[in-house]
Amino acid sequence: MIIKIKHEASEVQIEQLKNWIKSQGLSIYFSEGEHNSILGLIGDTSQVDESLINALEIVENVVRIQEPYKKVNRKFHPEDTVITLENGTKIGGGNFVIMAGPCSVETEEQVIETAKHVKASGANVLRGGAFKPRSSPYSFQGLGAKGIEILLKAKEVTGLPIVTEIMEPKQIIYFEHVDIIQVGARNMQNFELLKVLGAVDKPILLKRGLSATYEELLMSAEYIMAGGNSEVMLCERGIRTFEKATRNTFDVTAIPYLKSVTHLPIIADPSHAAGMHKMVKPLSLAATAAGVDGLLIEVHNDPERALCDGPQSLKPEKFDDTAKAIFKIREILSEV
Ligand code: PEP
Ligand code: MN
């Protein structure tokens, strides 16, 4: 249930109403807007008398929320969430970012060289996997903690904030200086991990599960927000369908749909969606045109020799060309 408060309501009146709601055993999600403030009621509201609240002088209206997700719901928080990274980079609410870098961290030289290239082309965040979820136990499993050290070195050299994936709660000790913690598609419903991230004071990039519905993705974000962390971004990275020609099927519809139902920033990952480097540019442009708040793109200085996801990784020159095209689409978007 949400209660829209009239603009002229005093702080004392709002406080009285909040206290009454709490006395009913409910918790409150308060969102202060430019025109109206909103009180989102969380818990079992079935016994709450709507007409009683509606009759209050300070209440504009009361709406019952059907969706199971509350804190991520745009009805609870009409304005876009804007996430600000430590270096001041903003994501969401019209602030667009490109996160780029290798699938996995292999060597210091590889990461720093790639980082310098992507920065020069306009990327705002460096990506790189240290803990890698691989389908085969015989594939390269990532450098782990050493990989994070390399990313931190690249951050120091280039000034780029870093995003890297966590696979299990006990790894959190390595993430102190990481700017954005990524939850991979395979862990979208690792609820114990989501609960741990709910207690962390860092932005989370939550990727959509391979066969997860929008509601399941939103409910996973709700886990993080319910734990107290409101800095969550959702990432469409392609889903599994009956089509076998591409690695996944990029669900462009997810972008406007999610943007309409949640206030959280929406990111798209065209690299894992396509699985082929040739498709990364057109899908990046499609996602940008559909209104994403950012892109996550795999770039490798030597894709032929990459230890992970080489076929879908862009060479630095191709990333540069793709970034230029993305910025052109952003310019056009501001005019239409
Ligand atoms: C990745 O970003 O490298 C990754 C493993 O992505 P996903 O979880 O979407 O497969
Ligand atoms: Mn990858």
Side-chain angles (χ1 to χ4, degrees):
M1 180 182 280
I2 60 170
I3 305 172
K4 205 171 185 183
I5 305 291
K6 284 184 186 159
H7 188 60
E8 58 272 20
S10 73
E11 263 176 46
V12 176
Q13 286 172 309
I14 297 175
E15 215 42 50
Q16 277 170 350
L17 178 55
K18 278 184 176 174
N19 287 337
W20 179 80
I21 293 165
K22 283 182 202 155
S23 75
Q24 303 298 299
L26 300 164
S27 55
I28 302 166
Y29 184 69
F30 185 59
S31 161
E32 199 166 1
E34 220 176 284
H35 305 292
N36 288 96
S37 292
I38 282 173
L39 292 179
L41 276 50
I42 298 168
D44 180 8
T45 56
S46 57
Q47 301 304 315
V48 178
D49 186 346
E50 224 171 292
S51 54
L52 211 70
I53 301 174
N54 239 328
L56 296 173
E57 196 189 316
I58 62 164
V59 171
E60 191 157 306
N61 65 25
V62 181
V63 183
R64 282 203 181 267
I65 303 291
Q66 305 303 328
E67 298 86 3
Y69 47 89
K70 312 290 178 193
K71 296 190 174 194
V72 308
N73 201 318
R74 199 179 268 287
K75 288 176 188 159
F76 270 50
H77 185 293
E79 281 104 30
D80 287 345
T81 281
V82 178
I83 294 176
T84 307
L85 305 182
E86 231 173 65
N87 76 338
T89 301
K90 290 188 186 307
I91 311 171
N95 303 286
F96 181 82
V97 292
I98 303 183
M99 309 182 196
C103 175
S104 47
V105 174
E106 296 164 12
T107 65
E108 188 172 311
E109 191 194 8
Q110 166 234 13
V111 175
I112 293 182
E113 195 186 317
T114 308
K116 284 181 180 164
H117 277 296
V118 299
K119 185 181 180 185
S121 301
N124 328 64
V125 177
L126 172 67
R127 68 146 285 152
F131 297 102
K132 292 300 304 174
R134 303 303 303 275
S135 304
S136 164
Y138 309 116
S139 303
F140 174 59
Q141 301 289 308
L143 296 182
K146 171 90 184 106
I148 297 199
E149 272 174 36
I150 294 176
L151 285 167
L152 291 173
K153 184 86 197 286
K155 173 178 171 174
E156 200 185 302
V157 173
T158 60
L160 284 177
I162 56 173
V163 55
T164 190
E165 179 168 351
I166 190 167
M167 283 172 60
E168 52 174 325
K170 70 172 192 232
Q171 292 164 351
I172 196 75
I173 51 168
Y174 303 114
F175 284 71
E176 194 185 339
H177 302 293
V178 167
D179 297 274
I180 303 171
I181 304 177
Q182 176 175 321
V183 176
R186 289 152 193 85
N187 268 318
M188 188 203 83
Q189 286 188 319
N190 181 341
F191 300 117
E192 290 310 312
L193 178 61
L194 300 179
K195 283 182 201 164
V196 167
L197 298 177
V200 162
D201 187 19
K202 273 184 196 299
I204 309 296
L205 177 67
L206 177 66
K207 296 187 105 181
R208 183 180 180 188
L210 274 69
S211 56
T213 62
Y214 300 149
E215 190 170 295
E216 285 164 343
L217 172 61
L218 291 159
M219 289 308 286
S220 288
E222 187 81 13
Y223 258 95
I224 301 171
M225 285 194 74
N229 185 352
S230 54
E231 304 206 306
V232 186
M233 293 165 254
L234 306 178
C235 180
E236 164 56 36
R237 45 78 73 205
I239 48 169
R240 182 161 290 182
T241 67
F242 50 81
E243 182 52 65
K244 292 189 191 146
T246 52
R247 185 174 181 183
N248 290 291
T249 297
F250 183 54
D251 179 12
V252 74
T253 313
I255 298 163
Y257 179 82
L258 291 171
K259 283 200 75 83
S260 72
V261 298
T262 181
H263 50 89
L264 299 174
I266 309 299
I267 309 295
D269 170 353
S271 308
H272 290 87
M276 283 174 260
H277 66 86
K278 281 207 167 82
M279 302 207 173
V280 171
K281 181 177 174 184
L283 294 187
S284 298
L285 301 187
T288 306
V292 275
D293 299 293
L295 291 161
L296 182 70
I297 300 178
E298 286 188 342
V299 181
H300 198 288
N301 59 338
D302 189 3
E304 284 86 5
R305 284 185 194 78
L307 296 180
C308 183
D309 286 348
Q312 69 194 31
S313 299
L314 298 184
K315 289 188 176 158
E317 314 80 74
K318 186 65 190 166
F319 173 70
D320 190 65
D321 163 66
T322 303
K324 284 196 172 84
I326 291 165
F327 295 136
K328 273 193 193 142
I329 297 280
R330 289 284 304 165
E331 261 174 55
I332 296 168
L333 270 189
S334 67
E335 291 158 15
V336 294

